[in-house]
Each structure stands twice: as C-alpha cells, then as structure tokens.
Amino acid sequence: MSAPLRLMAVHAHPDDESSKGAATMARYVREGVEVLVCTLTGGERGSVLNPKMDRPEIVADIGEVRRAEMARAREILGVEQRFMGFVDSGLPENEEEELPEGCFALQKLEDASAPLVAAVRAFRPHVIITYDDDGGYPHPDHIMTNKVSVEAFDAAGDPDRYPGSGDPWQPLKLYYQMGFTKERFEALHEAMNERGLGSPYADWISRWEDRPAKWPVTTRVPCGDYFQIRDEALLAHATQVDPDGFWFVCPRELQEEIWPTEDYHLARSLVDTALPEDDLFAGIHADDVSPACH
Ligand SMILES: [Zn+2]
C-alpha cells in the first residue's frame, strides 16, 4: 500500500489505552501504521490505586502527575496521543450519587463529540477502536466514550454535520475492544491452576453471568510478542497500576502461550470483510487509503 494506514483508539482516561488494546497498537505502530490515541478526559478524579504512590503530594497534583504518566506510556507504545479536553466524571459510589457539574459524562452529545469529530477529520483514520455501549466497565466516562465514538464515526463524513471542524472524513471500520471476556479469563484460570500457580479469578468467574455475549468477538489480533510493551506502558501509569496487583497476577509468558491475542467486535464496517478476522484492516484496500492531511 502506498499511503500508511491509520488507526485511532478512543479512550476515557489516561491508562485506559495501556490496559485495553495496547499490544495491538504497539504491533501496528511497529508495522508502519500511524496510531493516534484520543483521551477524552484528563483523569483528574481517578483515585490513586497503587498504595506505593498514595502520598499527599501526588494526590494534590493528580492531574499533572497523570499527564506525565501518559507522556511516558505514549513513548513506550510509540503512538501519538491527544487529550480532548474534558473533565473526568469520577466513578460514583452508588446509583444515587450525582455526577459533578461540568464533567464529561454530563455534556450534551454534540458538545462531547465535537473535539473527537475534529480529530477524526484531521487524522483521517481508516479504523477506530472504542468501548462497547456498556463501556466495557460501568464508569460513566466509559459509557460516554462509546456514545461519542459512535457519533464521530457516523458524523465525521457528513459535510452537513459539525460545520467548521474540518473537511469530512469517513472512517471505514469501528471496533469495540473485548478484553474482558469470560472465555479468556476461564482459559487463563485453568492454565494457572494446571500449573499449580493458584488462580485468583475463581470468584470473579463464578459471578459472571452465563449468557451469550452481547458483542461477540469477531476479530482476534495476534500480539503476544507485544505484551511486554503493553505491561511497561501500564506500569508507566504508576498512580493507577499496582505492580503487585490485578494486572500482573497472571504471568506474561502464560498469557503469551494461552491467549496471545487481543480481541474485538466489529461494530460497523463500510468494507467487505470475512469473519472471523485476525487484522483490524482486513478488507481495506489500497484504493481506500488516501494520504493523511494533518
Ligand atoms: Zn477509564
């Protein structure tokens, strides 16, 4: 192909890009694809989740600390990254708790989508990755991230929508990231038990409802060789990721052997492609790929 392919990943907070689809991005970047991460909020309301980093001077300056962490993760992954400028909504402790005024999840859809539409028109991605409509995990910012990503995918190519935010550009495929599937955790759980490592996932798996997936996996991207880069990027988010915690319980070598892919649901496609796929760009041909205009 003459012009490079371009991939955009839309995320709610700094650190989400390193825990959802990071090895996929690391692989594509190293294969010559241009990758842009759009981070909708600054993560200002994230708690410090790593006890080793829970110090007053860090808590007091969490916005700045998280920007520095994001810059480091971006370098490790090798991607471009931009903040879309919204304020973290925080994770409510119960259903009655009201979201803070002005936060991302309370924005009108059009206001919340405008910077992303502009980013799509400027970067001109062929493929966009985001979360499913449950947000992948029920944080109000993650659910809103799904809504604005779908809106941007549908509207960025329409010259009558979002006037003044650049020349129209229609991305070709939209994916939902499907990292937290029952099958994947069951496979890792079994492998850990077989090897006498003791799995911490039993309780969690037993509470998982046994029903057909709302968004079945259509696409598995082989990227086990990039799990190390993924882990390094995750560790760069030191306030959010405990090196002795959840993310690192299952040895990386075991993940590479048992589940060496990151998985996706193809939510929209304007090209013909045969399912299942092993490449996010499957079905996209040289004719579809026009040069970027940054
Ligand atoms: Zn998040």
Side-chain angles (χ1 to χ4, degrees):
M1 286 191 194
S2 44
L5 294 164
R6 291 180 297 278
L7 172 66
M8 174 184 279
V10 186
H11 288 287
H13 310 108
D15 80 4
D16 287 319
E17 82 296 327
S18 295
S19 60
K20 300 164 191 72
T24 304
M25 293 194 292
R27 181 189 137 177
Y28 279 119
V29 164
R30 282 150 187 83
E31 290 177 353
V33 174
E34 291 183 18
V35 181
L36 173 65
V37 171
C38 291
T39 313
L40 285 152
T41 80
E44 302 85 350
R45 290 199 171 88
S47 323
V48 175
L49 301 175
N50 175 2
K52 294 161 212 69
M53 294 294 284
D54 200 356
R55 304 195 296 267
E57 71 277 15
I58 286 175
V59 175
D61 204 17
I62 190 74
E64 270 314 300
V65 171
R66 295 197 71 180
R67 275 186 174 269
E69 291 175 347
M70 183 65 242
R72 181 83 195 103
R74 173 181 72 212
E75 266 172 43
I76 292 167
L77 293 171
V79 300
E80 292 178 60
Q81 184 266 342
R82 262 169 242 151
F83 285 102
M84 297 290 104
F86 294 99
V87 176
D88 191 340
S89 308
L91 182 59
E93 296 196 355
N94 54 59
E95 277 175 32
E96 285 80 55
E97 190 179 320
E98 280 184 29
L99 295 177
E101 205 182 305
C103 72
F104 176 54
L106 291 180
Q107 303 293 317
K108 276 193 247 142
L109 182 63
E110 201 149 307
D111 297 338
S113 306
L116 189 63
V117 170
V120 169
R121 288 175 174 174
F123 181 67
R124 309 174 88 193
H126 305 98
V127 173
I128 297 181
I129 303 172
T130 189
Y131 316 138
D132 64 59
D133 63 352
D134 296 322
Y137 119 95
H139 189 300
D141 287 335
H142 284 234
I143 293 165
M144 193 65 166
T145 296
N146 165 270
K147 289 185 183 152
V148 302
S149 303
V150 171
E151 169 78 355
F153 187 92
D154 290 343
D158 183 344
D160 296 329
R161 314 246 354 242
Y162 296 87
S165 54
D167 292 338
W169 174 260
Q170 179 59 59
L172 299 171
K173 295 169 98 179
L174 176 70
Y175 286 96
Y176 296 162
Q177 210 277 332
M178 293 283 128
F180 291 89
T181 60
K182 193 175 183 188
E183 343 165 52
R184 172 166 172 257
F185 279 95
E186 277 176 344
L188 296 174
H189 170 76
E190 254 173 56
M192 287 180 83
N193 280 337
E194 268 166 27
R195 276 149 234 231
L197 296 168
S199 159
Y201 303 134
D203 229 32
W204 198 36
I205 290 171
S206 71
R207 280 183 275 119
W208 218 310
E209 281 176 60
D210 232 342
R211 58 183 158 112
K214 185 171 170 192
W215 305 108
V217 169
T218 57
T219 311
R220 299 189 193 278
V221 178
C223 53
D225 291 347
Y226 300 88
F227 285 177
Q228 183 171 354
I229 295 175
R230 172 202 68 189
D231 288 356
E232 284 167 16
L234 254 179
L235 287 169
H237 292 285
T239 60
Q240 304 302 303
V241 176
D242 182 350
D244 302 315
F246 170 83
W247 295 107
F248 301 99
V249 172
C250 183
R252 185 170 67 235
E253 298 69 31
L254 196 63
Q255 297 180 46
E256 288 165 5
E257 183 193 326
I258 302 296
W259 207 276
T261 60
E262 287 180 337
D263 304 334
Y264 298 87
H265 172 82
L266 178 60
R268 295 255 205 293
S269 182
L270 305 182
V271 297
D272 288 329
T273 180
L275 302 181
E277 309 170 306
D278 62 2
D279 177 8
L280 300 179
F281 294 94
I284 297 178
H285 303 293
D287 305 350
D288 307 317
V289 181
S290 54
C293 88
H294 290 288

